Short mmCIF file of all heavy atoms in Angstrom, two decimals:
data_model
loop_
_atom_site.label_atom_id
_atom_site.label_comp_id
_atom_site.label_asym_id
_atom_site.label_seq_id
_atom_site.Cartn_x
_atom_site.Cartn_y
_atom_site.Cartn_z
N VAL A 1 -6.64 -3.12 1.71
CA VAL A 1 -5.99 -3.64 2.89
C VAL A 1 -4.51 -3.30 2.83
O VAL A 1 -3.83 -3.67 1.86
CB VAL A 1 -6.18 -5.17 3.01
CG1 VAL A 1 -5.45 -5.69 4.23
CG2 VAL A 1 -7.66 -5.51 3.08
N GLU A 2 -4.05 -2.59 3.85
CA GLU A 2 -2.66 -2.17 3.92
C GLU A 2 -1.87 -3.07 4.87
O GLU A 2 -2.42 -3.64 5.80
CB GLU A 2 -2.57 -0.73 4.41
CG GLU A 2 -3.24 0.27 3.52
CD GLU A 2 -3.85 1.41 4.29
OE1 GLU A 2 -3.97 1.28 5.52
OE2 GLU A 2 -4.21 2.42 3.67
N SER A 3 -0.59 -3.11 4.64
CA SER A 3 0.30 -3.84 5.53
C SER A 3 1.71 -3.27 5.40
O SER A 3 1.99 -2.52 4.47
CB SER A 3 0.30 -5.34 5.21
OG SER A 3 0.76 -5.54 3.88
N GLY A 4 2.55 -3.62 6.36
CA GLY A 4 3.95 -3.26 6.26
C GLY A 4 4.43 -2.18 7.21
O GLY A 4 5.62 -1.88 7.26
N GLY A 5 3.51 -1.58 7.96
CA GLY A 5 3.94 -0.56 8.91
C GLY A 5 4.67 -1.19 10.09
O GLY A 5 4.74 -2.41 10.23
N GLY A 6 5.21 -0.33 10.94
CA GLY A 6 5.90 -0.84 12.12
C GLY A 6 6.81 0.19 12.72
O GLY A 6 6.74 1.38 12.39
N LEU A 7 7.65 -0.28 13.63
CA LEU A 7 8.61 0.57 14.32
C LEU A 7 9.99 0.33 13.74
O LEU A 7 10.42 -0.82 13.61
CB LEU A 7 8.60 0.24 15.82
CG LEU A 7 9.65 0.91 16.69
CD1 LEU A 7 9.44 2.42 16.71
CD2 LEU A 7 9.61 0.35 18.12
N VAL A 8 10.68 1.41 13.41
CA VAL A 8 12.00 1.30 12.81
C VAL A 8 12.87 2.44 13.33
O VAL A 8 12.35 3.51 13.69
CB VAL A 8 11.89 1.33 11.26
CG1 VAL A 8 11.37 2.66 10.76
CG2 VAL A 8 13.21 0.97 10.61
N GLN A 9 14.15 2.21 13.38
CA GLN A 9 15.07 3.27 13.80
C GLN A 9 15.33 4.22 12.63
O GLN A 9 15.20 3.85 11.46
CB GLN A 9 16.39 2.66 14.27
CG GLN A 9 16.30 1.95 15.61
CD GLN A 9 17.65 1.56 16.15
OE1 GLN A 9 18.58 1.31 15.39
NE2 GLN A 9 17.77 1.49 17.46
N ALA A 10 15.69 5.43 12.97
CA ALA A 10 16.05 6.42 11.94
C ALA A 10 17.14 5.84 11.05
O ALA A 10 18.08 5.20 11.52
CB ALA A 10 16.52 7.71 12.59
N GLY A 11 16.95 6.07 9.74
CA GLY A 11 17.88 5.51 8.75
C GLY A 11 17.45 4.18 8.21
O GLY A 11 18.01 3.69 7.23
N GLY A 12 16.45 3.57 8.83
CA GLY A 12 15.98 2.27 8.40
C GLY A 12 15.00 2.35 7.25
O GLY A 12 14.72 3.43 6.71
N SER A 13 14.47 1.18 6.87
CA SER A 13 13.56 1.09 5.73
C SER A 13 12.31 0.30 6.08
O SER A 13 12.35 -0.57 6.95
CB SER A 13 14.27 0.40 4.55
OG SER A 13 15.39 1.13 4.12
N LEU A 14 11.24 0.62 5.40
CA LEU A 14 10.00 -0.14 5.46
C LEU A 14 9.38 -0.17 4.08
O LEU A 14 9.58 0.75 3.29
CB LEU A 14 9.01 0.49 6.44
CG LEU A 14 9.24 0.33 7.94
CD1 LEU A 14 8.23 1.18 8.72
CD2 LEU A 14 9.16 -1.12 8.36
N ARG A 15 8.61 -1.21 3.82
CA ARG A 15 7.87 -1.31 2.57
C ARG A 15 6.40 -1.51 2.89
O ARG A 15 6.02 -2.50 3.51
CB ARG A 15 8.38 -2.46 1.71
CG ARG A 15 7.73 -2.55 0.33
CD ARG A 15 8.39 -3.64 -0.48
NE ARG A 15 7.94 -3.69 -1.86
CZ ARG A 15 7.17 -4.63 -2.37
NH1 ARG A 15 6.76 -5.63 -1.60
NH2 ARG A 15 6.81 -4.60 -3.65
N LEU A 16 5.60 -0.55 2.48
CA LEU A 16 4.16 -0.62 2.67
C LEU A 16 3.50 -1.25 1.45
O LEU A 16 3.93 -1.01 0.32
CB LEU A 16 3.57 0.76 2.92
CG LEU A 16 4.18 1.58 4.06
CD1 LEU A 16 3.41 2.90 4.20
CD2 LEU A 16 4.19 0.81 5.35
N SER A 17 2.46 -2.02 1.70
CA SER A 17 1.70 -2.64 0.62
C SER A 17 0.22 -2.33 0.80
O SER A 17 -0.26 -2.19 1.93
CB SER A 17 1.89 -4.16 0.62
OG SER A 17 3.24 -4.52 0.46
N CYS A 18 -0.47 -2.23 -0.31
CA CYS A 18 -1.92 -2.00 -0.28
C CYS A 18 -2.53 -2.78 -1.43
O CYS A 18 -2.16 -2.56 -2.59
CB CYS A 18 -2.22 -0.52 -0.41
SG CYS A 18 -3.97 -0.12 -0.53
N ALA A 19 -3.44 -3.66 -1.11
CA ALA A 19 -4.09 -4.46 -2.14
C ALA A 19 -5.59 -4.21 -2.11
O ALA A 19 -6.20 -4.12 -1.05
CB ALA A 19 -3.81 -5.94 -1.90
N ALA A 20 -6.15 -4.10 -3.30
CA ALA A 20 -7.58 -3.83 -3.42
C ALA A 20 -8.32 -5.08 -3.86
O ALA A 20 -7.81 -5.89 -4.63
CB ALA A 20 -7.82 -2.72 -4.42
N SER A 21 -9.53 -5.22 -3.35
CA SER A 21 -10.40 -6.32 -3.77
C SER A 21 -11.80 -5.78 -4.00
O SER A 21 -12.15 -4.70 -3.52
CB SER A 21 -10.43 -7.42 -2.70
OG SER A 21 -10.93 -6.92 -1.48
N GLY A 22 -12.58 -6.54 -4.76
CA GLY A 22 -13.94 -6.11 -5.05
C GLY A 22 -14.10 -5.76 -6.51
O GLY A 22 -13.34 -6.19 -7.36
N SER A 23 -15.09 -4.93 -6.79
CA SER A 23 -15.40 -4.54 -8.15
C SER A 23 -14.54 -3.34 -8.54
O SER A 23 -14.85 -2.20 -8.22
CB SER A 23 -16.88 -4.17 -8.26
OG SER A 23 -17.19 -3.78 -9.57
N ILE A 24 -13.44 -3.64 -9.21
CA ILE A 24 -12.46 -2.61 -9.53
C ILE A 24 -12.44 -2.37 -11.02
O ILE A 24 -12.15 -3.27 -11.79
CB ILE A 24 -11.07 -3.03 -9.04
CG1 ILE A 24 -11.09 -3.22 -7.52
CG2 ILE A 24 -10.03 -2.00 -9.45
CD1 ILE A 24 -9.89 -3.92 -6.98
N ASN A 25 -12.76 -1.15 -11.39
CA ASN A 25 -12.76 -0.79 -12.79
C ASN A 25 -11.99 0.51 -12.98
O ASN A 25 -12.13 1.44 -12.21
CB ASN A 25 -14.20 -0.58 -13.29
CG ASN A 25 -15.01 -1.85 -13.20
OD1 ASN A 25 -14.68 -2.86 -13.80
ND2 ASN A 25 -16.07 -1.80 -12.42
N ASN A 26 -11.18 0.53 -13.99
CA ASN A 26 -10.50 1.76 -14.39
C ASN A 26 -9.86 2.49 -13.22
O ASN A 26 -10.38 3.49 -12.70
CB ASN A 26 -11.49 2.70 -15.09
CG ASN A 26 -11.98 2.11 -16.39
OD1 ASN A 26 -11.29 1.32 -17.03
ND2 ASN A 26 -13.18 2.47 -16.79
N ILE A 27 -8.72 1.99 -12.79
CA ILE A 27 -7.97 2.66 -11.73
C ILE A 27 -7.29 3.88 -12.34
O ILE A 27 -6.42 3.76 -13.20
CB ILE A 27 -6.92 1.73 -11.11
CG1 ILE A 27 -7.59 0.48 -10.52
CG2 ILE A 27 -6.12 2.47 -10.05
CD1 ILE A 27 -6.61 -0.54 -9.99
N TYR A 28 -7.67 5.05 -11.90
CA TYR A 28 -7.08 6.27 -12.42
C TYR A 28 -5.72 6.54 -11.77
O TYR A 28 -4.77 6.92 -12.43
CB TYR A 28 -8.00 7.47 -12.19
CG TYR A 28 -9.30 7.38 -12.95
CD1 TYR A 28 -10.47 7.89 -12.41
CD2 TYR A 28 -9.37 6.79 -14.21
CE1 TYR A 28 -11.67 7.82 -13.10
CE2 TYR A 28 -10.56 6.71 -14.90
CZ TYR A 28 -11.70 7.23 -14.34
OH TYR A 28 -12.88 7.15 -15.03
N SER A 29 -5.68 6.36 -10.46
CA SER A 29 -4.43 6.58 -9.75
C SER A 29 -4.45 5.84 -8.43
O SER A 29 -5.51 5.47 -7.91
CB SER A 29 -4.17 8.07 -9.50
OG SER A 29 -5.12 8.60 -8.59
N MET A 30 -3.26 5.62 -7.92
CA MET A 30 -3.08 5.02 -6.59
C MET A 30 -2.12 5.95 -5.84
O MET A 30 -1.15 6.45 -6.42
CB MET A 30 -2.46 3.64 -6.69
CG MET A 30 -3.20 2.66 -7.58
SD MET A 30 -2.19 1.16 -7.78
CE MET A 30 -3.25 0.16 -8.79
#
């Protein structure tokens, strides 16, 4: 599940987040 997108003016900042749920084993990469 992702969050944090939106509308921003040039030069601005945003922080995106992504959280995983369920049967998670051995995360190789994100």
Side-chain angles (χ1 to χ4, degrees):
V1 178
E2 298 146 346
S3 61
L7 173 64
V8 65
Q9 288 189 331
S13 298
L14 285 173
R15 185 175 187 251
L16 306 183
S17 300
C18 175
S21 61
S23 179
I24 299 167
N25 297 301
N26 295 332
I27 301 175
Y28 295 146
S29 67
M30 305 172 179

